[in-house]
Amino acid sequence: MTLLLDTHALIWFLDEDIRLPASTRIQIETTPVIFVSIASLWEISIKANIGKLDLAAPFSTIEPNLAALDITQLPITFKDLEIYLSLPLHHRDPFDRLLIAQAMNHSLTLVSQDAQMNAYSIQRFWA
């Protein structure tokens, strides 16, 4: 299984937040290949900039933390956007829809507590 972290999963994992279930944390820590979408990093920067998100550490620490944890940044590809355009509007959040498209395009399991994502043909993990 190869994982793609939803934005909240990434934040809670990096911050060691108790909202991330212990079994989900263990799965992230023991899965050899983990991705975080550049869309999630963009979402974090936007929300931090407008005061909608308080980060436990400066935004600038995220990239070196990802590298230290061997979490790979996943770029947005044209194919991701083609899939995004074809998705039914079960979920209205554009960042989540892009993560869904990337999970579909790259055959990734999306780590997210958002059960609305189950409306799409992806694998979602949250335990």
Side-chain angles (χ1 to χ4, degrees):
M1 172 170 34
T2 304
L3 303 178
L4 172 61
L5 303 182
D6 196 346
T7 306
H8 64 273
L10 170 65
I11 293 169
W12 295 348
F13 181 72
L14 293 177
D15 291 349
E16 299 183 13
D17 193 301
I18 61 169
R19 291 177 285 183
L20 184 70
S23 54
T24 301
R25 173 173 294 285
I26 291 167
Q27 184 66 52
I28 294 168
E29 291 172 342
T30 58
T31 299
V33 181
I34 308 287
F35 288 101
V36 62
S37 174
I38 197 69
S40 289
L41 301 176
W42 184 22
E43 181 180 17
I44 292 167
S45 69
I46 289 170
K47 289 183 176 180
N49 181 256
I50 63 174
K52 203 172 175 186
L53 175 65
D54 291 322
L55 296 172
F59 181 80
S60 61
T61 64
I62 294 175
E63 189 170 40
N65 284 339
L66 294 176
L69 294 165
D70 203 26
I71 297 174
T72 303
Q73 293 179 45
L74 182 64
I76 299 168
T77 67
F78 193 84
K79 182 66 176 174
D80 295 333
L81 299 176
E82 286 183 316
I83 293 170
Y84 178 94
L85 283 170
S86 72
L87 292 175
L89 290 172
H90 301 305
H91 201 304
R92 297 278 182 187
D93 182 286
F95 290 104
D96 287 344
R97 289 169 50 78
L98 185 51
L99 295 179
I100 291 163
Q102 289 185 301
M104 293 171 83
N105 187 32
H106 302 281
S107 300
L108 304 172
T109 299
L110 187 56
V111 178
S112 178
Q113 73 170 358
D114 188 347
Q116 281 186 300
M117 294 180 172
N118 294 341
Y120 298 94
S121 59
I122 61 166
Q123 292 293 319
R124 184 180 66 89
F125 181 85
W126 195 260

Coordinates of all heavy atoms in Angstrom, one line a residue, residues 29-77:
E29 N 3.8 5.5 9.8 CA 5.2 5.3 10.2 C 5.8 4.0 9.6 O 7.0 3.9 9.4 CB 5.3 5.3 11.7 CG 5.1 6.6 12.4 CD 5.0 6.5 13.9 OE1 4.8 5.4 14.5 OE2 5.1 7.6 14.5
T30 N 5.0 3.0 9.3 CA 5.5 1.8 8.8 C 5.3 1.5 7.3 O 5.7 0.5 6.8 CB 4.8 0.6 9.6 OG1 3.4 0.6 9.4 CG2 5.2 0.7 11.1
T31 N 4.6 2.4 6.7 CA 4.4 2.3 5.2 C 5.7 2.8 4.5 O 6.1 4.0 4.8 CB 3.2 3.0 4.8 OG1 2.0 2.4 5.4 CG2 3.0 2.9 3.2
P32 N 6.3 2.1 3.6 CA 7.5 2.5 3.0 C 7.4 3.8 2.1 O 8.4 4.6 2.1 CB 8.0 1.3 2.2 CG 7.2 0.2 2.7 CD 6.0 0.7 3.3
V33 N 6.3 3.9 1.4 CA 6.2 5.0 0.5 C 5.0 5.9 0.9 O 3.8 5.4 0.9 CB 6.0 4.6 -1.0 CG1 5.9 5.8 -1.9 CG2 7.2 3.7 -1.4
I34 N 5.3 7.1 1.2 CA 4.2 8.1 1.7 C 4.4 9.4 0.8 O 5.5 9.9 0.6 CB 4.4 8.5 3.1 CG1 4.5 7.3 4.1 CG2 3.3 9.5 3.6 CD1 3.3 6.6 4.3
F35 N 3.2 9.9 0.3 CA 3.2 11.1 -0.4 C 2.4 12.1 0.3 O 1.4 11.8 1.0 CB 2.6 10.9 -1.8 CG 3.4 10.1 -2.8 CD1 3.2 8.7 -3.0 CD2 4.5 10.7 -3.5 CE1 3.9 8.0 -3.9 CE2 5.2 9.9 -4.3 CZ 5.0 8.6 -4.5
V36 N 2.7 13.4 0.0 CA 1.9 14.5 0.4 C 1.8 15.4 -0.9 O 2.8 15.6 -1.5 CB 2.5 15.3 1.6 CG1 3.8 15.9 1.3 CG2 1.5 16.4 2.0
S37 N 0.6 15.8 -1.2 CA 0.4 16.5 -2.4 C 0.8 18.0 -2.2 O 0.7 18.6 -1.1 CB -1.1 16.5 -2.8 OG -1.3 17.4 -3.9
I38 N 1.4 18.5 -3.3 CA 1.7 20.0 -3.2 C 0.4 20.8 -3.0 O 0.5 21.9 -2.4 CB 2.5 20.4 -4.5 CG1 3.2 21.7 -4.3 CG2 1.5 20.4 -5.7 CD1 4.3 21.7 -3.4
A39 N -0.7 20.2 -3.4 CA -2.0 20.9 -3.1 C -2.2 21.0 -1.6 O -2.7 22.1 -1.2 CB -3.1 20.1 -3.7
S40 N -1.8 20.0 -0.8 CA -2.0 20.1 0.7 C -1.1 21.2 1.2 O -1.5 22.0 2.1 CB -1.7 18.8 1.3 OG -2.7 17.9 1.0
L41 N 0.1 21.3 0.7 CA 1.1 22.3 1.2 C 0.5 23.7 0.8 O 0.6 24.7 1.6 CB 2.5 22.1 0.6 CG 3.1 20.7 1.0 CD1 4.4 20.6 0.3 CD2 3.2 20.6 2.5
W42 N -0.1 23.8 -0.4 CA -0.7 25.1 -0.8 C -1.8 25.4 0.1 O -2.0 26.6 0.5 CB -1.1 24.9 -2.3 CG -1.7 26.1 -2.9 CD1 -1.5 27.4 -2.6 CD2 -2.5 26.1 -4.1 NE1 -2.2 28.2 -3.5 CE2 -2.8 27.5 -4.4 CE3 -3.0 25.1 -4.9 CZ2 -3.6 27.8 -5.5 CZ3 -3.8 25.5 -6.0 CH2 -4.1 26.8 -6.2
E43 N -2.7 24.4 0.4 CA -3.8 24.7 1.3 C -3.4 25.1 2.7 O -3.9 26.1 3.2 CB -4.6 23.4 1.4 CG -5.9 23.5 2.3 CD -6.7 22.3 2.4 OE1 -6.2 21.2 2.1 OE2 -7.8 22.4 2.9
I44 N -2.3 24.5 3.2 CA -1.8 24.9 4.5 C -1.3 26.4 4.5 O -1.6 27.2 5.3 CB -0.6 24.0 5.0 CG1 -1.2 22.6 5.3 CG2 0.1 24.6 6.2 CD1 -0.2 21.5 5.4
S45 N -0.6 26.7 3.4 CA 0.0 28.1 3.3 C -1.2 29.1 3.2 O -1.1 30.2 3.8 CB 1.0 28.2 2.2 OG 0.3 28.1 0.9
I46 N -2.2 28.8 2.4 CA -3.3 29.7 2.2 C -4.0 29.9 3.6 O -4.3 31.0 4.0 CB -4.3 29.2 1.2 CG1 -3.7 29.3 -0.2 CG2 -5.6 29.9 1.3 CD1 -4.5 28.6 -1.3
K47 N -4.4 28.8 4.2 CA -5.1 28.9 5.5 C -4.3 29.6 6.6 O -4.9 30.3 7.4 CB -5.6 27.5 5.9 CG -6.7 27.0 5.0 CD -7.3 25.7 5.4 CE -8.5 25.3 4.6 NZ -9.1 24.1 4.9
A48 N -3.0 29.3 6.6 CA -2.2 30.0 7.6 C -2.1 31.5 7.3 O -2.1 32.3 8.3 CB -0.8 29.4 7.6
N49 N -2.0 31.8 6.1 CA -1.9 33.2 5.7 C -3.2 34.0 6.0 O -3.1 35.2 6.4 CB -1.6 33.3 4.2 CG -1.5 34.7 3.7 OD1 -2.4 35.3 3.1 ND2 -0.4 35.4 4.0
I50 N -4.3 33.4 5.9 CA -5.6 34.2 6.2 C -6.0 34.0 7.6 O -7.1 34.5 8.0 CB -6.7 33.8 5.2 CG1 -7.1 32.3 5.3 CG2 -6.3 34.2 3.8 CD1 -8.3 31.9 4.5
G51 N -5.2 33.3 8.5 CA -5.6 33.2 9.9 C -6.6 32.1 10.2 O -7.1 32.0 11.3
K52 N -6.8 31.2 9.2 CA -7.8 30.1 9.4 C -7.1 28.8 10.0 O -7.8 27.9 10.4 CB -8.4 29.8 8.1 CG -9.7 29.1 8.2 CD -10.4 29.0 6.8 CE -11.7 28.2 6.9 NZ -12.3 27.9 5.7
L53 N -5.8 28.9 10.1 CA -5.0 27.7 10.6 C -3.8 28.2 11.4 O -3.0 29.0 10.9 CB -4.5 26.9 9.4 CG -3.6 25.7 9.7 CD1 -4.3 24.6 10.5 CD2 -3.1 25.1 8.4
D54 N -3.7 27.8 12.6 CA -2.6 28.1 13.5 C -1.7 26.9 13.4 O -2.0 25.8 13.9 CB -3.0 28.4 14.9 CG -3.8 29.7 15.0 OD1 -3.4 30.6 14.3 OD2 -4.8 29.7 15.8
L55 N -0.5 27.1 12.9 CA 0.5 26.0 12.9 C 1.3 25.9 14.2 O 1.6 26.9 14.8 CB 1.5 26.2 11.7 CG 0.8 26.2 10.3 CD1 1.8 26.6 9.3 CD2 0.3 24.8 10.0
A56 N 1.6 24.7 14.6 CA 2.4 24.5 15.8 C 3.8 24.9 15.6 O 4.5 25.3 16.6 CB 2.3 23.0 16.3
A57 N 4.3 24.9 14.4 CA 5.7 25.3 14.1 C 5.6 26.1 12.8 O 4.6 26.0 12.1 CB 6.5 24.0 13.8
P58 N 6.6 26.9 12.5 CA 6.6 27.7 11.3 C 6.4 26.9 10.0 O 6.9 25.7 10.0 CB 8.0 28.4 11.3 CG 8.4 28.4 12.7 CD 7.8 27.1 13.3
F59 N 5.7 27.4 9.1 CA 5.5 26.7 7.8 C 6.8 26.3 7.2 O 6.9 25.2 6.6 CB 4.8 27.7 6.8 CG 4.5 27.0 5.5 CD1 3.4 26.2 5.3 CD2 5.3 27.3 4.4 CE1 3.2 25.6 4.1 CE2 5.1 26.7 3.1 CZ 4.0 25.8 3.0
S60 N 7.9 27.1 7.3 CA 9.2 26.7 6.7 C 9.8 25.4 7.3 O 10.7 24.9 6.7 CB 10.2 27.9 7.0 OG 10.4 28.1 8.4
T61 N 9.3 24.9 8.4 CA 9.8 23.7 8.9 C 9.2 22.4 8.3 O 9.7 21.3 8.5 CB 9.6 23.6 10.5 OG1 8.2 23.6 10.7 CG2 10.2 24.8 11.2
I62 N 8.1 22.6 7.6 CA 7.4 21.5 7.0 C 8.3 20.7 6.0 O 8.4 19.5 6.1 CB 6.0 21.9 6.3 CG1 5.1 22.4 7.4 CG2 5.4 20.7 5.6 CD1 3.8 22.9 6.9
E63 N 8.9 21.5 5.1 CA 9.7 20.8 4.0 C 10.8 20.0 4.6 O 11.0 18.8 4.2 CB 10.2 21.8 3.0 CG 10.8 21.1 1.8 CD 11.1 22.0 0.6 OE1 11.5 23.2 0.9 OE2 10.8 21.6 -0.5
P64 N 11.6 20.5 5.5 CA 12.7 19.7 6.1 C 12.2 18.5 6.9 O 12.8 17.4 6.9 CB 13.6 20.6 6.9 CG 12.8 21.9 7.0 CD 11.8 21.9 5.9
N65 N 11.0 18.7 7.5 CA 10.4 17.6 8.3 C 10.0 16.5 7.3 O 10.1 15.3 7.6 CB 9.2 18.1 9.1 CG 9.6 18.8 10.4 OD1 10.8 18.6 10.8 ND2 8.8 19.6 10.9
L66 N 9.4 16.9 6.2 CA 9.0 15.9 5.2 C 10.2 15.1 4.7 O 10.2 13.9 4.6 CB 8.3 16.5 4.0 CG 6.9 17.2 4.3 CD1 6.4 17.9 3.0 CD2 5.9 16.2 4.8
A67 N 11.3 15.8 4.4 CA 12.5 15.1 4.0 C 13.1 14.2 5.0 O 13.4 13.1 4.7 CB 13.6 16.2 3.6
A68 N 13.1 14.6 6.3 CA 13.6 13.8 7.4 C 12.7 12.6 7.6 O 13.3 11.5 7.9 CB 13.6 14.6 8.7
L69 N 11.4 12.7 7.3 CA 10.5 11.5 7.5 C 10.4 10.7 6.2 O 9.6 9.8 6.1 CB 9.2 12.0 7.9 CG 9.1 12.7 9.3 CD1 7.8 13.5 9.5 CD2 9.3 11.6 10.4
D70 N 11.1 11.1 5.1 CA 11.1 10.4 3.9 C 9.7 10.4 3.2 O 9.3 9.4 2.6 CB 11.7 9.0 4.0 CG 12.2 8.4 2.7 OD1 12.6 9.3 1.8 OD2 12.2 7.2 2.5
I71 N 9.0 11.5 3.4 CA 7.7 11.7 2.8 C 7.9 12.5 1.5 O 8.5 13.6 1.5 CB 6.7 12.5 3.7 CG1 6.5 11.6 5.0 CG2 5.4 12.8 3.0 CD1 5.6 12.3 6.0
T72 N 7.4 12.0 0.4 CA 7.7 12.6 -0.9 C 6.6 13.6 -1.3 O 5.4 13.3 -1.2 CB 7.8 11.5 -2.0 OG1 8.8 10.6 -1.6 CG2 8.1 12.1 -3.4
Q73 N 7.0 14.7 -1.8 CA 6.0 15.7 -2.4 C 5.5 15.2 -3.7 O 6.3 14.9 -4.6 CB 6.7 17.1 -2.5 CG 7.0 17.7 -1.2 CD 7.7 19.1 -1.3 OE1 7.2 19.9 -2.1 NE2 8.8 19.3 -0.6
L74 N 4.2 15.2 -3.9 CA 3.6 14.8 -5.1 C 3.1 16.0 -5.9 O 2.3 16.7 -5.5 CB 2.4 13.9 -4.8 CG 1.6 13.3 -6.0 CD1 2.6 12.3 -6.8 CD2 0.4 12.5 -5.5
P75 N 3.7 16.2 -7.1 CA 3.3 17.4 -7.9 C 1.9 17.1 -8.5 O 1.4 16.0 -8.6 CB 4.4 17.5 -9.0 CG 4.9 16.1 -9.1 CD 4.8 15.4 -7.7
I76 N 1.3 18.2 -9.0 CA 0.0 18.1 -9.7 C 0.3 18.0 -11.2 O 1.0 18.8 -11.7 CB -0.8 19.4 -9.4 CG1 -1.1 19.5 -7.9 CG2 -2.1 19.3 -10.2 CD1 -1.7 20.9 -7.5
T77 N -0.2 16.9 -11.8 CA 0.0 16.7 -13.2 C -1.2 17.0 -14.0 O -2.3 17.2 -13.5 CB 0.4 15.2 -13.4 OG1 -0.8 14.4 -13.1 CG2 1.6 14.7 -12.6

